[in-house]
Amino acid sequence: MSLLLFTMFASHSVFILLFYGLVAIEAQMSTPSAAPIVASCASKSNTSCEDCLQNVTCLWCMPTKQCLDYPVKNILPPSSVCPLKEVRWGLCWVNFQILIITLSVLAGVFLIVLFVCCLCCCRRRGTRNDDDDDDVRQQQQTRARNSRQKQRREEMQLRHDKIRQKYGLTKDNPYSRMDDKK
């Protein structure tokens, strides 16, 4: 239960973080400006993080205060460009390294939860099939037990009838013993 609550909290936190990032980027893109943003990222160096990140293709390196083009060929910017914990992209207050770690942990938790759910569903389905098989098997055993009991009753009845006939105690005998009736 606590894992589920943690997963929900973490996924909501990441969703809110990404939502605010997208809203900020959308707001930056939708603000009408007199001149379109054509300047390269390098021209925004030694300014501020907010100025640099107005262009979504730029990343900001905190210690060097450089605005750099995002290395598109690499998924993560190499440490030769800037240490990963000092890189800002999208929003100035979002640490890129923590964002990557958070997203990977959430993806791992999501995959584990998905695996556990699939495992539970398969186990339930298997249990239901086993229960159905057990019910059918139990019904067959009950029928077999009832038929054996019926056969034993018939055999016992035949033995009793033979004994009654031997001693003249058959029911259709007119000279049968009379029960005490009061």
Side-chain angles (χ1 to χ4, degrees):
M1 186 66 172
S2 62
L3 178 65
L4 181 63
L5 290 175
F6 172 74
T7 305
M8 288 174 39
F9 174 73
S11 64
H12 287 338
S13 300
V14 169
F15 174 73
I16 290 170
L17 179 69
L18 291 175
F19 178 73
Y20 281 125
L22 292 175
V23 167
I25 291 170
E26 180 65 30
Q28 291 172 359
M29 290 179 160
S30 65
T31 54
S33 60
I37 302 174
V38 182
S40 69
C41 296
S43 67
K44 301 277 185 163
S45 292
N46 294 323
T47 58
S48 69
C49 178
E50 289 81 16
D51 290 338
C52 174
L53 296 182
Q54 284 179 352
N55 188 351
V56 293
T57 62
C58 298
L59 63 89
W60 179 257
C61 186
M62 293 292 277
T64 61
K65 296 188 190 263
Q66 288 183 341
C67 189
L68 306 166
D69 288 320
Y70 191 91
V72 185
K73 294 178 182 174
N74 303 334
I75 295 175
L76 302 175
S79 61
S80 62
V81 173
C82 188
L84 195 57
K85 63 183 176 182
E86 301 296 335
V87 173
R88 302 294 187 254
W89 178 73
L91 296 171
C92 291
W93 56 271
V94 177
N95 185 340
F96 199 67
Q97 184 177 16
I98 292 176
L99 178 67
I100 292 169
I101 292 169
T102 304
L103 289 176
S104 62
V105 166
L106 289 176
V109 168
F110 176 74
L111 289 174
I112 289 171
V113 168
L114 184 67
F115 177 73
V116 168
C117 288
C118 289
L119 188 68
C120 289
C121 289
C122 291
R123 187 171 284 173
R124 281 189 193 143
R125 187 178 303 145
T127 304
R128 273 191 228 133
N129 290 340
D130 291 345
D131 288 345
D132 291 344
D133 292 343
D134 288 343
D135 288 344
V136 169
R137 194 176 307 120
Q138 189 175 12
Q139 288 174 355
Q140 289 173 349
Q141 288 175 351
T142 303
R143 277 189 241 122
R145 216 178 298 123
N146 287 341
S147 67
R148 285 192 308 262
Q149 188 177 12
K150 185 177 178 182
Q151 186 180 5
R152 274 189 250 122
R153 250 191 234 129
E154 289 173 355
E155 288 174 1
M156 190 181 298
Q157 186 67 36
L158 280 173
R159 273 188 272 140
H160 289 176
D161 286 346
K162 283 183 182 179
I163 291 171
R164 283 189 189 110
Q165 194 175 18
K166 179 179 179 181
Y167 292 106
L169 300 173
T170 58
K171 292 180 183 176
D172 53 313
N173 186 356
Y175 299 109
S176 66
R177 190 171 163 191
M178 295 180 66
D179 292 332
D180 293 333
K181 293 185 181 180
K182 294 183 181 181

